[in-house]
Amino acid sequence: MKSKVFFAKAKKGEPLDSMREKTCWLLERAGLRKIVKKDGLTAIKLTFGDKGNTGHVDARHARFVVDEISALKGKPFFTDSNTLYKGSRSNAVDHTNIAYEHGFTPEICGAPVVIADGLRSGGDFEVKINKKHFKSVKIAKACADADAVVVLSHVTGHMVTGFASAVKNIGMGFATRAGKLMQHSAIKPNVNAKACIGCGLCVIHCPTGAIELKGEVLSEAKEKTAHIDEKKCIGCADCLVACRSDAIEISWSESSNNVQEKMAEFALGVLKDKEGKILFLNYAMKITKECDCLAKDDPAVAPDVGIFASTDPVAIDKASADVVNNAFKADAFKKIWPHIDWESQLRYGAEIGLGNMDYELIEMK
Ligand code: SF4
Ligand code: SF4
């Protein structure tokens, strides 16, 4: 059976009244009232954008989703998880400040920001999936604790996965830091001895005592450097953000296809936990080569087409890409990332039961 995907044409700079009308139509048709319960804590999952990013979902558009959830007597809050790499969103304090900077304040949007995996990441919830890459996946606690989730995704290209939208938003975006590391690398972190200043911060933050300062004299100024015991390391990646000298490195070695499959497995964990309580909106406007984790004002690489809504993350991503590619008159994502088979995340997602590649597109008249 085909999954239903609802679609409203829209473009960057569309008047706010028109965006509100379209958002309301999409949420109503996709079944928002079925998932929002009275007093239900309703997560609005999105990427706030890295510092300086301009492509992220517009806070004024997200406000329309807040208003619809509030009208149904739900309690909306914005959420995302901390990044794997060190940057402007790697802990809840910096992350919340960036969200505010990009307009996601209670004053503008009518909802608070709650970072999904806690202050430094680590607040997780395990879901059994029994798939090829993982038997179980670790998703951020706020996702598990929420009564319902509305996922707002900006359709973009991506340097590793070629295409990024709903599947990536929940698969990578609701994974804890340890979960993100599991998806990106099969190898544990290691210490770059030249960059290590022997401060011991990583030793304090490591939850398993896997890091030791050893007295190898590498220069006169430095007497000790950190060493990671691979057998004790559980790959939580806490040391990565604890280190202020960028001395802890991870290998971004996993192939694109493997990352996409692992991401789909994490997305399946989220869907399993939130079955019947999650819906997706994809914004295919200002489609950029890179995702919103890049701190820049990326130009658009394909025409704006509009907003999509569905309860099926595979179908909504497939429909979004198809409509963009029809307007572009070629595969826009293959053109910007020619070496990546971006559709593998959707094919594998369909294979493991995350969703359906066949969809019925229902357009707002
Ligand atoms: S990844 Fe986690 S467990 Fe491994 S060394 Fe770093 S802090 Fe310790
Ligand atoms: S926190 Fe970084 S610089 Fe300090 S000991 Fe650990 S690896 Fe070295």
Side-chain angles (χ1 to χ4, degrees):
M1 210 174 76
K2 291 180 176 178
S3 292
K4 286 194 167 91
V5 178
F6 302 92
F7 171 56
K9 283 189 181 130
K11 52 185 185 306
K12 189 95 180 150
E14 179 124 358
L16 288 180
D17 283 353
S18 165
M19 281 298 286
R20 180 185 284 278
E21 190 194 347
K22 289 171 183 178
T23 309
C24 294
W25 182 84
L26 289 163
L27 289 173
E28 178 63 28
R29 297 303 301 270
L32 185 72
R33 66 178 63 242
K34 285 192 203 139
I35 72 163
V36 176
K37 303 288 175 231
K38 184 173 179 296
D39 293 331
L41 300 178
T42 307
I44 302 174
K45 165 70 179 81
L46 41 60
T47 302
F48 300 112
D50 217 273
K51 197 171 179 63
N53 175 273
T54 56
H56 60 84
V57 171
D58 190 321
R60 295 167 307 166
H61 300 167
R63 165 93 211 206
F64 306 146
V65 180
V66 169
D67 290 346
E68 288 308 291
I69 295 168
S70 300
L72 294 167
K73 309 264 186 274
K75 294 185 176 175
F77 67 96
F78 291 111
T79 195
D80 193 10
S81 62
N82 294 311
T83 55
L84 170 59
Y85 50 86
K86 207 171 154 183
S88 65
R89 294 175 299 129
S90 54
N91 64 66
V93 176
D94 294 342
H95 205 159
T96 307
N97 283 331
I98 284 289
Y100 290 166
E101 233 176 78
H102 290 178
F104 295 91
T105 64
E107 292 75 26
I108 296 172
C109 285
V113 170
V114 179
I115 298 304
D117 53 340
L119 198 57
R120 292 181 190 273
S121 191
D124 64 33
F125 180 81
E126 204 153 333
V127 185
K128 285 203 168 53
I129 55 162
N130 285 322
K131 294 297 167 200
K132 181 169 84 181
H133 296 284
F134 305 119
K135 297 287 163 244
S136 65
V137 294
K138 288 178 175 180
I139 58 172
K141 192 73 167 55
C143 168
D145 287 346
D147 296 303
V149 180
V150 179
V151 182
L152 312 188
S153 310
H154 178 209
V155 176
T156 66
H158 191 273
M159 67 173 86
V160 178
T161 60
F163 170 87
S165 205
V167 171
K168 179 158 189 303
N169 197 358
I170 57 167
M172 196 63 81
F174 258 147
T176 54
R177 185 169 291 125
K180 290 183 177 89
L181 184 61
M182 284 159 72
Q183 294 177 59
H184 275 296
S185 178
I187 305 166
K188 303 272 169 66
N190 67 285
V191 178
N192 175 348
K194 283 194 184 135
C196 175
I197 57 166
C199 67
L201 273 176
C202 55
V203 178
I204 297 166
H205 284 280
C206 176
T208 62
I211 313 179
E212 226 186 300
L213 289 181
K214 290 191 183 168
E216 281 174 24
V217 181
L218 293 175
S219 72
E220 293 205 349
K222 183 167 62 179
E223 291 185 353
K224 291 190 173 181
T225 51
H227 290 256
I228 296 175
D229 180 343
E230 270 203 38
K231 287 193 191 112
K232 289 189 191 163
C233 174
I234 54 166
C236 68
D238 282 0
C239 52
L240 205 82
V241 278
C243 177
R244 293 177 189 160
S245 307
D246 290 333
I248 303 206
E249 299 172 337
I250 52 169
S251 153
W252 301 86
S253 57
E254 198 58 291
S255 70
S256 171
N257 273 6
N258 268 357
V259 174
Q260 292 188 64
E261 288 187 1
K262 289 176 171 186
M263 197 170 83
E265 291 192 4
F266 266 75
L268 182 69
V270 171
L271 213 72
K272 264 185 104 173
D273 183 64
K274 286 277 143 324
E275 206 174 347
K277 298 175 193 160
I278 188 165
L279 70 78
F280 301 86
L281 286 189
N282 279 7
Y283 293 79
M285 292 150 67
K286 201 186 184 211
I287 299 155
T288 47
K289 181 177 178 180
E290 314 272 11
C291 69
D292 301 336
C293 297
L294 271 279
K296 56 183 184 172
D297 178 21
D298 240 2
V301 292
D304 290 358
V305 294
I307 321 166
F308 299 78
S310 183
T311 51
D312 180 331
V314 174
I316 195 173
D317 279 3
K318 179 79 171 94
S320 304
D322 285 349
V323 175
V324 169
N325 290 340
N326 277 343
F328 189 70
K329 297 189 172 46
D331 186 333
F333 305 97
K334 194 80 198 159
K335 178 139 195 261
I336 48 178
W337 298 107
H339 60 292
I340 299 176
D341 174 15
W342 65 265
E343 238 184 17
S344 72
Q345 59 187 279
L346 305 185
R347 287 195 306 272
Y348 185 68
E351 196 184 310
I352 61 174
L354 176 63
N356 198 343
M357 292 276 273
D358 290 330
Y359 60 87
E360 180 193 356
L361 193 68
I362 301 156
E363 189 175 337
M364 183 182 177
K365 298 292 174 214

Short mmCIF file of all heavy atoms in Angstrom, two decimals, residues 83-87 90 120-122 177-178 181 187-192 195-197 199-213 226-230 232-251:
data_model
loop_
_atom_site.label_atom_id
_atom_site.label_comp_id
_atom_site.label_asym_id
_atom_site.label_seq_id
_atom_site.Cartn_x
_atom_site.Cartn_y
_atom_site.Cartn_z
N THR A 83 25.89 17.88 19.18
CA THR A 83 26.67 17.34 18.06
C THR A 83 27.79 16.43 18.54
O THR A 83 28.26 16.54 19.69
CB THR A 83 27.28 18.48 17.23
OG1 THR A 83 28.06 19.31 18.11
CG2 THR A 83 26.22 19.32 16.55
N LEU A 84 28.21 15.56 17.65
CA LEU A 84 29.33 14.66 17.94
C LEU A 84 30.64 15.45 18.01
O LEU A 84 31.46 15.25 18.89
CB LEU A 84 29.41 13.59 16.83
CG LEU A 84 30.63 12.68 16.78
CD1 LEU A 84 30.78 11.90 18.07
CD2 LEU A 84 30.53 11.71 15.61
N TYR A 85 30.79 16.34 17.06
CA TYR A 85 32.03 17.13 16.97
C TYR A 85 31.92 18.34 17.90
O TYR A 85 30.82 18.76 18.28
CB TYR A 85 32.26 17.58 15.53
CG TYR A 85 31.05 18.24 14.93
CD1 TYR A 85 30.80 19.60 15.11
CD2 TYR A 85 30.10 17.50 14.23
CE1 TYR A 85 29.67 20.20 14.61
CE2 TYR A 85 28.96 18.11 13.72
CZ TYR A 85 28.75 19.45 13.92
OH TYR A 85 27.61 20.05 13.44
N LYS A 86 33.10 18.90 18.21
CA LYS A 86 33.13 20.08 19.05
C LYS A 86 32.73 21.30 18.22
O LYS A 86 33.21 21.47 17.12
CB LYS A 86 34.56 20.25 19.57
CG LYS A 86 34.65 20.95 20.86
CD LYS A 86 36.04 20.86 21.36
CE LYS A 86 36.26 22.05 22.26
NZ LYS A 86 37.60 22.09 22.75
N GLY A 87 31.83 22.11 18.73
CA GLY A 87 31.41 23.28 17.95
C GLY A 87 30.40 24.06 18.73
O GLY A 87 30.34 23.96 19.97
N SER A 90 27.65 21.63 20.85
CA SER A 90 28.11 20.37 21.44
C SER A 90 27.77 20.22 22.92
O SER A 90 28.05 19.20 23.53
CB SER A 90 29.61 20.18 21.21
OG SER A 90 30.33 21.28 21.67
N ARG A 120 25.64 17.54 28.43
CA ARG A 120 26.80 17.23 27.59
C ARG A 120 26.55 16.06 26.65
O ARG A 120 27.46 15.56 26.04
CB ARG A 120 28.01 16.87 28.47
CG ARG A 120 28.56 18.01 29.28
CD ARG A 120 29.74 17.53 30.08
NE ARG A 120 30.17 18.52 31.03
CZ ARG A 120 31.03 19.50 30.75
NH1 ARG A 120 31.54 19.61 29.56
NH2 ARG A 120 31.36 20.36 31.69
N SER A 121 25.37 15.52 26.61
CA SER A 121 24.98 14.30 25.90
C SER A 121 25.19 13.12 26.84
O SER A 121 25.97 13.19 27.79
CB SER A 121 25.76 14.05 24.61
OG SER A 121 25.13 13.00 23.89
N GLY A 122 24.50 12.07 26.60
CA GLY A 122 24.61 10.91 27.47
C GLY A 122 23.26 10.47 27.97
O GLY A 122 23.06 9.31 28.33
N ARG A 177 25.45 11.36 21.49
CA ARG A 177 26.79 11.48 20.91
C ARG A 177 27.38 10.09 20.64
O ARG A 177 27.98 9.84 19.61
CB ARG A 177 27.70 12.29 21.84
CG ARG A 177 29.06 12.55 21.24
CD ARG A 177 29.84 13.56 22.04
NE ARG A 177 29.27 14.87 21.95
CZ ARG A 177 28.91 15.62 22.99
NH1 ARG A 177 29.10 15.19 24.20
NH2 ARG A 177 28.37 16.79 22.81
N ALA A 178 27.17 9.17 21.58
CA ALA A 178 27.67 7.80 21.39
C ALA A 178 27.01 7.17 20.17
O ALA A 178 27.66 6.47 19.38
CB ALA A 178 27.39 6.97 22.63
N LEU A 181 28.54 8.55 17.04
CA LEU A 181 29.86 7.95 16.80
C LEU A 181 29.70 6.54 16.22
O LEU A 181 30.42 6.15 15.30
CB LEU A 181 30.68 7.90 18.10
CG LEU A 181 32.12 7.39 17.99
CD1 LEU A 181 32.95 8.28 17.07
CD2 LEU A 181 32.79 7.32 19.35
N ILE A 187 35.62 2.74 14.47
CA ILE A 187 36.86 2.78 15.26
C ILE A 187 36.69 3.70 16.47
O ILE A 187 36.02 4.73 16.38
CB ILE A 187 38.03 3.30 14.38
CG1 ILE A 187 38.12 2.43 13.11
CG2 ILE A 187 39.34 3.31 15.10
CD1 ILE A 187 38.98 3.05 12.04
N LYS A 188 37.33 3.36 17.59
CA LYS A 188 37.25 4.19 18.81
C LYS A 188 38.11 5.45 18.63
O LYS A 188 39.02 5.47 17.81
CB LYS A 188 37.77 3.39 20.01
CG LYS A 188 37.03 2.07 20.24
CD LYS A 188 35.81 2.28 21.11
CE LYS A 188 34.89 1.08 21.14
NZ LYS A 188 35.43 -0.10 21.77
N PRO A 189 37.85 6.51 19.42
CA PRO A 189 38.67 7.72 19.30
C PRO A 189 40.14 7.46 19.66
O PRO A 189 40.44 6.51 20.38
CB PRO A 189 38.06 8.68 20.32
CG PRO A 189 36.84 8.04 20.84
CD PRO A 189 36.85 6.61 20.47
N ASN A 190 41.01 8.30 19.17
CA ASN A 190 42.40 8.18 19.58
C ASN A 190 42.99 9.55 19.87
O ASN A 190 42.42 10.57 19.48
CB ASN A 190 43.24 7.43 18.53
CG ASN A 190 43.37 8.25 17.28
OD1 ASN A 190 42.41 8.34 16.52
ND2 ASN A 190 44.52 8.85 17.07
N VAL A 191 44.13 9.56 20.59
CA VAL A 191 44.73 10.83 21.02
C VAL A 191 45.86 11.21 20.06
O VAL A 191 46.73 10.39 19.75
CB VAL A 191 45.29 10.71 22.45
CG1 VAL A 191 45.96 12.02 22.89
CG2 VAL A 191 44.18 10.34 23.42
N ASN A 192 45.82 12.44 19.60
CA ASN A 192 46.92 12.98 18.82
C ASN A 192 47.94 13.51 19.82
O ASN A 192 47.77 14.58 20.41
CB ASN A 192 46.39 14.10 17.91
CG ASN A 192 47.49 14.79 17.14
OD1 ASN A 192 48.68 14.61 17.44
ND2 ASN A 192 47.11 15.59 16.17
N ALA A 195 49.19 17.11 19.81
CA ALA A 195 48.28 18.20 20.21
C ALA A 195 47.94 18.15 21.70
O ALA A 195 47.52 19.14 22.29
CB ALA A 195 47.00 18.12 19.40
N CYS A 196 48.12 16.99 22.33
CA CYS A 196 47.75 16.82 23.75
C CYS A 196 48.69 17.61 24.66
O CYS A 196 49.91 17.52 24.54
CB CYS A 196 47.80 15.33 24.10
SG CYS A 196 47.48 15.02 25.84
N ILE A 197 48.09 18.39 25.59
CA ILE A 197 48.91 19.17 26.52
C ILE A 197 48.95 18.54 27.92
O ILE A 197 49.45 19.13 28.87
CB ILE A 197 48.41 20.64 26.61
CG1 ILE A 197 46.93 20.68 27.05
CG2 ILE A 197 48.63 21.39 25.30
CD1 ILE A 197 46.44 22.04 27.49
N CYS A 199 46.49 17.98 30.06
CA CYS A 199 45.72 18.69 31.09
C CYS A 199 44.85 17.74 31.94
O CYS A 199 44.44 18.09 33.04
CB CYS A 199 44.83 19.74 30.44
SG CYS A 199 43.52 19.02 29.43
N GLY A 200 44.51 16.58 31.42
CA GLY A 200 43.75 15.59 32.18
C GLY A 200 42.24 15.77 32.17
O GLY A 200 41.52 15.03 32.83
N LEU A 201 41.74 16.75 31.41
CA LEU A 201 40.28 16.97 31.38
C LEU A 201 39.54 15.74 30.87
O LEU A 201 38.48 15.38 31.37
CB LEU A 201 39.95 18.17 30.47
CG LEU A 201 39.97 19.54 31.11
CD1 LEU A 201 39.73 20.62 30.05
CD2 LEU A 201 38.91 19.64 32.20
N CYS A 202 40.10 15.10 29.87
CA CYS A 202 39.45 13.92 29.29
C CYS A 202 39.39 12.79 30.33
O CYS A 202 38.41 12.04 30.37
CB CYS A 202 40.20 13.45 28.04
SG CYS A 202 41.93 13.13 28.34
N VAL A 203 40.40 12.70 31.18
CA VAL A 203 40.43 11.66 32.22
C VAL A 203 39.25 11.85 33.17
O VAL A 203 38.55 10.90 33.53
CB VAL A 203 41.77 11.71 33.00
CG1 VAL A 203 41.80 10.67 34.10
CG2 VAL A 203 42.95 11.55 32.06
N ILE A 204 39.00 13.13 33.52
CA ILE A 204 37.89 13.43 34.44
C ILE A 204 36.55 13.08 33.80
O ILE A 204 35.65 12.56 34.45
CB ILE A 204 37.92 14.94 34.82
CG1 ILE A 204 39.20 15.27 35.57
CG2 ILE A 204 36.70 15.33 35.65
CD1 ILE A 204 39.49 16.77 35.68
N HIS A 205 36.41 13.34 32.51
CA HIS A 205 35.11 13.16 31.86
C HIS A 205 34.85 11.74 31.38
O HIS A 205 33.70 11.38 31.11
CB HIS A 205 34.96 14.14 30.69
CG HIS A 205 34.66 15.53 31.15
ND1 HIS A 205 33.40 15.92 31.51
CD2 HIS A 205 35.46 16.59 31.37
CE1 HIS A 205 33.43 17.18 31.91
NE2 HIS A 205 34.67 17.61 31.83
N CYS A 206 35.88 10.92 31.24
CA CYS A 206 35.67 9.56 30.72
C CYS A 206 34.90 8.72 31.75
O CYS A 206 35.34 8.55 32.88
CB CYS A 206 37.02 8.90 30.42
SG CYS A 206 36.79 7.20 29.88
N PRO A 207 33.74 8.17 31.37
CA PRO A 207 32.93 7.44 32.35
C PRO A 207 33.45 6.04 32.69
O PRO A 207 32.98 5.43 33.65
CB PRO A 207 31.56 7.34 31.66
CG PRO A 207 31.85 7.40 30.20
CD PRO A 207 33.07 8.24 30.05
N THR A 208 34.38 5.54 31.91
CA THR A 208 34.83 4.15 32.15
C THR A 208 36.27 4.05 32.62
O THR A 208 36.81 2.95 32.74
CB THR A 208 34.68 3.31 30.86
OG1 THR A 208 35.53 3.88 29.86
CG2 THR A 208 33.26 3.27 30.37
N GLY A 209 36.91 5.18 32.85
CA GLY A 209 38.31 5.15 33.27
C GLY A 209 39.22 4.61 32.19
O GLY A 209 40.25 4.00 32.47
N ALA A 210 38.84 4.85 30.93
CA ALA A 210 39.63 4.30 29.81
C ALA A 210 40.85 5.16 29.47
O ALA A 210 41.71 4.73 28.72
CB ALA A 210 38.74 4.17 28.58
N ILE A 211 40.89 6.38 30.04
CA ILE A 211 42.00 7.28 29.67
C ILE A 211 42.96 7.45 30.84
O ILE A 211 42.56 7.64 31.98
CB ILE A 211 41.48 8.66 29.23
CG1 ILE A 211 40.32 8.51 28.25
CG2 ILE A 211 42.60 9.49 28.60
CD1 ILE A 211 39.72 9.81 27.76
N GLU A 212 44.22 7.38 30.50
CA GLU A 212 45.27 7.52 31.51
C GLU A 212 46.29 8.52 31.00
O GLU A 212 46.56 8.57 29.78
CB GLU A 212 45.97 6.17 31.64
CG GLU A 212 46.18 5.72 33.07
CD GLU A 212 47.00 4.45 33.07
OE1 GLU A 212 46.54 3.45 32.47
OE2 GLU A 212 48.09 4.49 33.62
N LEU A 213 46.84 9.31 31.91
CA LEU A 213 47.94 10.18 31.50
C LEU A 213 49.23 9.40 31.72
O LEU A 213 49.48 8.92 32.82
CB LEU A 213 47.96 11.47 32.33
CG LEU A 213 46.85 12.48 32.06
CD1 LEU A 213 47.02 13.71 32.95
CD2 LEU A 213 46.82 12.90 30.60
N ALA A 226 47.69 11.91 27.14
CA ALA A 226 46.59 10.97 27.38
C ALA A 226 46.71 9.74 26.48
O ALA A 226 47.16 9.84 25.34
CB ALA A 226 45.27 11.68 27.11
N HIS A 227 46.31 8.59 27.04
CA HIS A 227 46.28 7.34 26.27
C HIS A 227 44.94 6.68 26.51
O HIS A 227 44.46 6.62 27.64
CB HIS A 227 47.40 6.40 26.72
CG HIS A 227 48.75 6.89 26.32
ND1 HIS A 227 49.47 6.36 25.28
CD2 HIS A 227 49.50 7.91 26.82
CE1 HIS A 227 50.60 7.02 25.15
NE2 HIS A 227 50.66 7.96 26.09
N ILE A 228 44.32 6.17 25.44
CA ILE A 228 43.01 5.53 25.58
C ILE A 228 43.18 4.01 25.51
O ILE A 228 43.81 3.48 24.59
CB ILE A 228 42.04 6.00 24.47
CG1 ILE A 228 41.78 7.50 24.62
CG2 ILE A 228 40.73 5.22 24.50
CD1 ILE A 228 40.93 8.13 23.53
N ASP A 229 42.62 3.33 26.53
CA ASP A 229 42.63 1.87 26.53
C ASP A 229 41.39 1.41 25.75
O ASP A 229 40.26 1.54 26.21
CB ASP A 229 42.56 1.38 27.99
CG ASP A 229 42.56 -0.14 28.07
OD1 ASP A 229 42.30 -0.79 27.04
OD2 ASP A 229 42.82 -0.67 29.17
N GLU A 230 41.63 0.91 24.54
CA GLU A 230 40.51 0.52 23.65
C GLU A 230 39.57 -0.50 24.28
O GLU A 230 38.39 -0.51 23.98
CB GLU A 230 41.08 -0.07 22.37
CG GLU A 230 41.32 0.99 21.31
CD GLU A 230 41.33 0.40 19.93
OE1 GLU A 230 40.55 -0.53 19.66
OE2 GLU A 230 42.15 0.86 19.13
N LYS A 232 38.69 -0.71 27.39
CA LYS A 232 37.77 -0.08 28.36
C LYS A 232 36.85 0.94 27.71
O LYS A 232 35.83 1.32 28.27
CB LYS A 232 38.57 0.62 29.46
CG LYS A 232 39.27 -0.34 30.42
CD LYS A 232 39.82 0.49 31.56
CE LYS A 232 40.76 -0.32 32.44
NZ LYS A 232 41.59 0.54 33.27
N CYS A 233 37.22 1.45 26.54
CA CYS A 233 36.47 2.52 25.89
C CYS A 233 35.13 1.99 25.36
O CYS A 233 35.07 0.97 24.70
CB CYS A 233 37.30 3.09 24.74
SG CYS A 233 36.40 4.30 23.75
N ILE A 234 34.05 2.72 25.69
CA ILE A 234 32.72 2.31 25.21
C ILE A 234 32.25 3.19 24.05
O ILE A 234 31.09 3.11 23.62
CB ILE A 234 31.67 2.35 26.36
CG1 ILE A 234 31.66 3.74 27.02
CG2 ILE A 234 31.91 1.25 27.37
CD1 ILE A 234 30.47 4.01 27.92
N GLY A 235 33.13 4.07 23.58
CA GLY A 235 32.80 4.90 22.42
C GLY A 235 31.74 5.96 22.69
O GLY A 235 30.98 6.31 21.80
N CYS A 236 31.72 6.52 23.91
CA CYS A 236 30.69 7.51 24.23
C CYS A 236 30.99 8.88 23.65
O CYS A 236 30.12 9.73 23.55
CB CYS A 236 30.52 7.63 25.74
SG CYS A 236 31.94 8.38 26.54
N ALA A 237 32.26 9.10 23.29
CA ALA A 237 32.71 10.36 22.67
C ALA A 237 32.72 11.56 23.61
O ALA A 237 32.89 12.69 23.17
CB ALA A 237 31.91 10.69 21.40
N ASP A 238 32.56 11.34 24.93
CA ASP A 238 32.59 12.46 25.88
C ASP A 238 33.95 13.17 25.87
O ASP A 238 34.04 14.38 26.04
CB ASP A 238 32.30 11.97 27.31
CG ASP A 238 30.82 11.72 27.52
OD1 ASP A 238 30.04 11.93 26.56
OD2 ASP A 238 30.43 11.30 28.62
N CYS A 239 35.01 12.37 25.69
CA CYS A 239 36.35 12.95 25.71
C CYS A 239 36.55 13.94 24.57
O CYS A 239 37.30 14.90 24.68
CB CYS A 239 37.41 11.85 25.66
SG CYS A 239 37.18 10.69 24.31
N LEU A 240 35.87 13.69 23.49
CA LEU A 240 36.01 14.51 22.30
C LEU A 240 35.64 15.96 22.55
O LEU A 240 36.32 16.89 22.11
CB LEU A 240 35.07 13.93 21.24
CG LEU A 240 35.42 14.19 19.80
CD1 LEU A 240 36.45 13.18 19.36
CD2 LEU A 240 34.17 14.06 18.96
N VAL A 241 34.55 16.16 23.30
CA VAL A 241 34.15 17.54 23.59
C VAL A 241 34.80 18.06 24.87
O VAL A 241 34.91 19.27 25.05
CB VAL A 241 32.62 17.70 23.66
CG1 VAL A 241 32.02 17.84 22.29
CG2 VAL A 241 31.97 16.60 24.40
N ALA A 242 35.25 17.15 25.73
CA ALA A 242 35.92 17.61 26.96
C ALA A 242 37.27 18.24 26.63
O ALA A 242 37.69 19.21 27.25
CB ALA A 242 36.11 16.43 27.92
N CYS A 243 37.95 17.71 25.63
CA CYS A 243 39.29 18.19 25.29
C CYS A 243 39.22 19.57 24.64
O CYS A 243 38.52 19.78 23.66
CB CYS A 243 39.97 17.22 24.33
SG CYS A 243 41.59 17.81 23.82
N ARG A 244 39.96 20.52 25.22
CA ARG A 244 39.93 21.89 24.68
C ARG A 244 41.08 22.12 23.70
O ARG A 244 41.26 23.22 23.19
CB ARG A 244 40.00 22.90 25.81
CG ARG A 244 38.73 22.83 26.65
CD ARG A 244 38.75 23.76 27.83
NE ARG A 244 37.60 23.45 28.68
CZ ARG A 244 37.50 23.79 29.95
NH1 ARG A 244 38.46 24.44 30.55
NH2 ARG A 244 36.43 23.46 30.63
N SER A 245 41.88 21.09 23.48
CA SER A 245 43.04 21.26 22.59
C SER A 245 42.85 20.53 21.27
O SER A 245 43.79 20.39 20.50
CB SER A 245 44.30 20.73 23.29
OG SER A 245 44.43 21.33 24.54
N ASP A 246 41.63 20.04 21.04
CA ASP A 246 41.33 19.27 19.82
C ASP A 246 42.33 18.12 19.62
O ASP A 246 42.75 17.83 18.51
CB ASP A 246 41.35 20.18 18.57
CG ASP A 246 40.17 21.13 18.57
OD1 ASP A 246 39.13 20.78 19.18
OD2 ASP A 246 40.29 22.22 17.98
N ALA A 247 42.71 17.50 20.74
CA ALA A 247 43.70 16.43 20.65
C ALA A 247 43.06 15.06 20.50
O ALA A 247 43.76 14.08 20.19
CB ALA A 247 44.58 16.45 21.90
N ILE A 248 41.75 14.97 20.74
CA ILE A 248 41.10 13.66 20.58
C ILE A 248 40.42 13.63 19.22
O ILE A 248 39.64 14.52 18.87
CB ILE A 248 40.12 13.37 21.73
CG1 ILE A 248 40.92 13.46 23.02
CG2 ILE A 248 39.45 12.02 21.53
CD1 ILE A 248 40.45 12.71 24.19
N GLU A 249 40.76 12.61 18.47
CA GLU A 249 40.29 12.55 17.09
C GLU A 249 39.43 11.33 16.88
O GLU A 249 39.64 10.30 17.52
CB GLU A 249 41.51 12.48 16.15
CG GLU A 249 42.41 13.69 16.29
CD GLU A 249 43.70 13.55 15.50
OE1 GLU A 249 44.11 12.40 15.23
OE2 GLU A 249 44.30 14.58 15.18
N ILE A 250 38.47 11.48 15.97
CA ILE A 250 37.73 10.29 15.57
C ILE A 250 37.98 10.06 14.09
O ILE A 250 38.31 10.99 13.35
CB ILE A 250 36.21 10.38 15.83
CG1 ILE A 250 35.63 11.66 15.23
CG2 ILE A 250 35.88 10.28 17.28
CD1 ILE A 250 34.12 11.67 15.23
N SER A 251 37.84 8.82 13.71
CA SER A 251 38.03 8.49 12.31
C SER A 251 36.66 8.56 11.63
O SER A 251 35.74 7.83 11.99
CB SER A 251 38.61 7.08 12.23
OG SER A 251 38.25 6.50 11.03
#
